[in-house]
């Protein structure tokens, strides 16, 4: 506890820390009920292929409405779910909802699901995924797993074999938040990612920052030489779009194209994209 001499200063922080702690506890206990009480929603945000102008995949993004706290950001509750051991059940739900939605989309549109690095330490992830694919009628090659590199990835033989197993199953792997981690290049060397997602912090100032432009250009060239696709995340303006296009980026995700939307809105959008230029409506979604 605070010493007498410095006590005043330390105490000033106590109410804040106490509130923080209570908030954490409230989120943790809330999360325990959230699945049962149907408090989660899954939104989908298009990732657009710059060559075709069409949606290549939609990223599933989790939303949670706490009965008292209201909307809580996944950036806040996902880490709590991880430390409370709840991320496995939540991810299972996300995978199911994401695959259920994607099973009704045109067959050339994938779905991207964020996988917490904590889950790569467990053995049952491939089993959960196989069960989900079977139960929803989704094919493995249309499921992309996004793994953030902002957490130091465990390079144990176990993580290695798990990632390889997932690839052998036909799933695609995406290295999320590229550039924010500790050893981006090491990850690229260790595992065969199909895609890297350049973190939105590099995109934010791209229109005014020659340095950021050069970094993105170099990352895209590196990725190309490794036959890895690049997604620019957080593109909000036409200027940013022009710059990432100039850099040779293959795909774009951001508010410029679309904000995260409901499953229903996503399937409407994808169906309308599937309408060819001559105006004839293609019958998609036949199952
Ligand atoms: P992420 O995987 O990097 O997802 C991209 C984030 O950028 C999303 O925030 C998305 O809404 C936001 N975004 C997209 N376009 C723009 C843009 O143009 N401008 C700005 N400013 N932001 C944009 P969101 O939905 O709040 O999610 C935050 C993070 O929470 C995600 O980052 C991901 O790491 C995590 N997360 C979300 N859903 C899940 C999930 O189902 N499972 C796990 N494990 N993590 C999740
Ligand atoms: Mg992601
Ligand atoms: Mg992330
Ligand atoms: Mg990201």
């Amino acid at each position: 506890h605070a010493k007498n001499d410095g006590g005043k200063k330390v105490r000033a922080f106590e109410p804040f820390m106490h509130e923080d702690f209570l908030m954490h506890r409230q989120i943790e206990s809330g999360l325990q009920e959230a699945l049962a009480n149907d408090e989660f929603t899954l939104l989908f945000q298009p990732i657009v292929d710059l060559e075709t102008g069409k949606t290549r995949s939609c990223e599933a993004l989790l939303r949670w409405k706490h009965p008292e706290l209201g909307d809580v950001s996944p950036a806040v509750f996902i880490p709590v779910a991880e430390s409370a051991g709840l991320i496995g059940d939540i991810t299972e739900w996300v995978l199911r909802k994401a695959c259920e939605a994607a099973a009704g989309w045109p067959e050339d549109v994938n779905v991207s699901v964020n996988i917490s690095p904590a889950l790569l330490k467990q053995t049952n992830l491939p089993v959960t995924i196989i069960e989900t694919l079977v139960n929803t009628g989704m094919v493995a090659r249309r499921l992309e797993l996004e793994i953030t590199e902002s957490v130091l990835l465990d390079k144990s033989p176990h993580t290695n074999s798990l990632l390889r197993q997932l690839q052998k199953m036909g799933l695609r792997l995406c290295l999320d938040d590229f550039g924010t981690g500790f050893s981006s290049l090491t990850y690229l060397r260790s595992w065969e990612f199909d895609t890297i997602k350049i973190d939105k912090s590099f995109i934010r100032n791209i229109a005014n920052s020659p340095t950021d432009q050069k970094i993105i250009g170099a990352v895209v060239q590196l990725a190309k030489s490794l036959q890895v696709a690049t997604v620019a995340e957080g593109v909000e303006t036409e200027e940013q779009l022009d710059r990432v296009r100039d850099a040779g980026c293959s795909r774009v995700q951001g508010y410029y194209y679309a904000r995260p939307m409901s499953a229903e809105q996503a399937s409407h959008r994808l169906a309308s994209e599937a309408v060819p230029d001559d105006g004839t409506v293609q019958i998609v979604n036949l199952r």
Side-chain angles (χ1 to χ4, degrees):
H1 217 261
K3 276 194 203 158
N4 286 339
D5 47 8
K8 205 173 178 189
K9 217 173 191 175
V10 174
R11 255 201 306 274
F13 283 93
E14 269 181 5
F16 171 72
M17 287 176 58
H18 189 59
E19 255 173 49
D20 228 39
F21 176 74
L22 285 181
M23 176 76 92
H24 188 283
R25 289 292 302 272
Q26 196 176 4
I27 289 174
E28 187 176 314
S29 65
L31 281 173
Q32 265 145 3
E33 320 269 291
L35 275 174
N37 294 345
D38 211 16
E39 289 163 8
F40 287 125
T41 329
L42 203 57
L43 299 185
F44 296 90
Q45 188 182 30
I47 299 167
V48 177
D49 186 317
L50 284 179
E51 226 169 81
T52 63
K54 285 191 172 179
T55 302
R56 149 84 197 198
S57 185
C58 288
E59 179 175 13
L61 293 162
L62 189 57
R63 296 291 178 264
W64 178 36
K65 200 178 190 99
H66 183 283
E68 285 130 39
L69 299 171
D71 292 320
V72 184
S73 161
V76 171
F77 73 77
I78 292 285
V80 179
E82 287 170 349
S83 65
L86 298 166
I87 193 68
D89 287 347
I90 292 174
T91 304
E92 210 169 296
W93 184 89
V94 170
L95 279 165
R96 178 160 51 79
K97 288 287 175 188
C99 289
E100 274 171 9
W105 298 345
E107 280 181 357
D108 56 349
V109 183
N110 298 344
V111 68
S112 305
V113 172
N114 290 288
I115 297 293
S116 155
L119 285 180
L120 299 179
K121 294 191 186 122
Q122 299 181 6
T123 44
N124 55 352
L125 184 63
V127 176
T128 303
I129 290 175
I130 289 170
E131 283 174 357
T132 307
L133 292 172
V134 169
N135 292 337
T136 58
M138 257 284 283
V139 285
R141 64 174 169 77
R142 291 181 56 209
L143 178 58
E144 305 193 14
L145 302 183
E146 295 195 0
I147 299 161
T148 180
E149 70 149 31
S150 61
V151 178
L152 190 58
L153 288 178
D154 167 21
K155 287 183 68 200
S156 68
H158 175 73
T159 302
N160 262 324
S161 73
L162 191 87
L163 287 174
R164 288 194 209 294
Q165 194 183 346
L166 293 169
Q167 279 180 317
K168 275 199 195 125
M169 286 161 53
L171 294 146
R172 296 169 208 261
L173 300 184
C174 170
L175 187 55
D176 201 351
D177 307 324
F178 187 84
T180 61
F182 302 99
S183 45
S184 314
L185 297 179
T186 314
Y187 296 150
L188 274 188
R189 194 179 63 185
S190 309
W191 299 302
E192 287 167 24
F193 286 96
D194 301 275
T195 315
I196 59 175
K197 231 186 216 190
I198 302 168
D199 191 68
K200 52 181 173 299
S201 59
F202 291 99
I203 310 299
R204 195 170 301 132
N205 296 318
I206 191 178
N208 315 312
S209 163
T211 305
D212 284 358
Q213 278 171 42
K214 283 177 195 153
I215 290 174
I216 291 172
V219 167
V220 171
Q221 288 315 309
L222 171 71
K224 274 191 176 156
S225 68
L226 296 171
Q227 288 167 305
V228 173
T230 42
V231 178
E233 179 184 76
V235 172
E236 297 182 355
T237 67
E238 193 166 2
E239 230 182 342
Q240 290 170 335
L241 175 66
D242 290 341
R243 293 289 89 76
V244 296
R245 200 199 297 269
D246 291 346
C249 223
S250 39
R251 298 166 200 166
V252 164
Q253 176 180 9
Y255 299 164
Y256 178 77
Y257 278 107
R259 286 183 179 257
M261 61 187 86
S262 70
E264 198 183 17
Q265 288 171 311
S267 85
H268 277 131
R269 185 183 170 105
L270 295 172
S272 71
E273 278 184 13
V275 178
D277 291 339
D278 64 1
T280 33
V281 179
Q282 233 175 14
I283 308 296
V284 290
N285 212 357
L286 270 185
R287 285 212 285 146

